[in-house]
Amino acid sequence: MATVNPERGEVGLTLGGNVYPMLPTMGAANAIESTLGPLAALVARCVDTSKLLTIRDMAFIAGECIRAAGKDRNDAMLTGVSADKLAQMIFEEGLINVLQPLTEVLSNMVTGGAKKKEQALTESNASPTAS
């Protein structure tokens, strides 16, 4: 599988012994909100154990973010990932093991996504100028 770049807001999701990169993009955010509702509410559901996401919801979120990473990398395997296959893999991996990376990628979305992380890294690496 592809490597994960945390500076870009990417989060790795381990399924079946492989690490799938999830990239928080505006396109993924729009698709997720259109189907599942506001991102902030989804983050809250991830941390509130009485309102956990369903396997289908988890597969949908993971799928959108994995496909976003695939588009970014021009990787046909990642862009072609199936929600049904992801749901099965999430079940086999254990929902509790998948919850943390999904919460992290959703949190990255509500704080500005991949571009915001990239911008923060660029700004932190910039050397101060003398006045």
Side-chain angles (χ1 to χ4, degrees):
M1 280 289 105
T3 58
V4 174
N5 184 349
E7 284 86 23
R8 297 189 61 225
E10 291 181 350
V11 177
L13 176 62
T14 302
L15 298 171
N18 294 311
V19 178
Y20 293 84
M22 295 188 295
L23 180 63
T25 64
M26 186 64 189
N30 282 335
I32 292 165
E33 284 195 325
S34 294
T35 301
L36 301 176
L39 294 173
L42 293 171
V43 172
R45 285 178 61 194
C46 287
V47 297
D48 182 350
T49 56
S50 69
K51 299 176 185 174
L52 286 179
L53 299 169
T54 66
I55 294 172
R56 288 267 167 227
D57 292 348
M58 290 179 174
F60 187 82
I61 294 165
E64 289 300 327
C65 294
I66 291 168
R67 283 189 288 279
K71 287 177 190 171
D72 185 66
R73 293 169 166 77
N74 200 22
D75 183 325
M77 189 180 92
L78 293 176
T79 57
V81 71
S82 146
D84 288 334
K85 179 68 175 167
L86 281 172
Q88 180 64 38
M89 293 169 72
I90 287 169
F91 175 78
E92 291 170 0
E93 193 70 34
L95 278 63
I96 198 71
N97 297 320
V98 173
L99 194 55
Q100 187 276 328
L102 288 179
T103 303
E104 188 175 345
V105 78
L106 287 169
S107 296
N108 288 350
M109 283 183 182
V110 299
T111 58
K115 295 296 181 195
K116 192 73 166 184
K117 286 265 190 179
E118 219 170 321
Q119 178 185 358
L121 180 67
T122 301
E123 289 171 1
S124 70
N125 288 335
S127 59
T129 57
S131 306

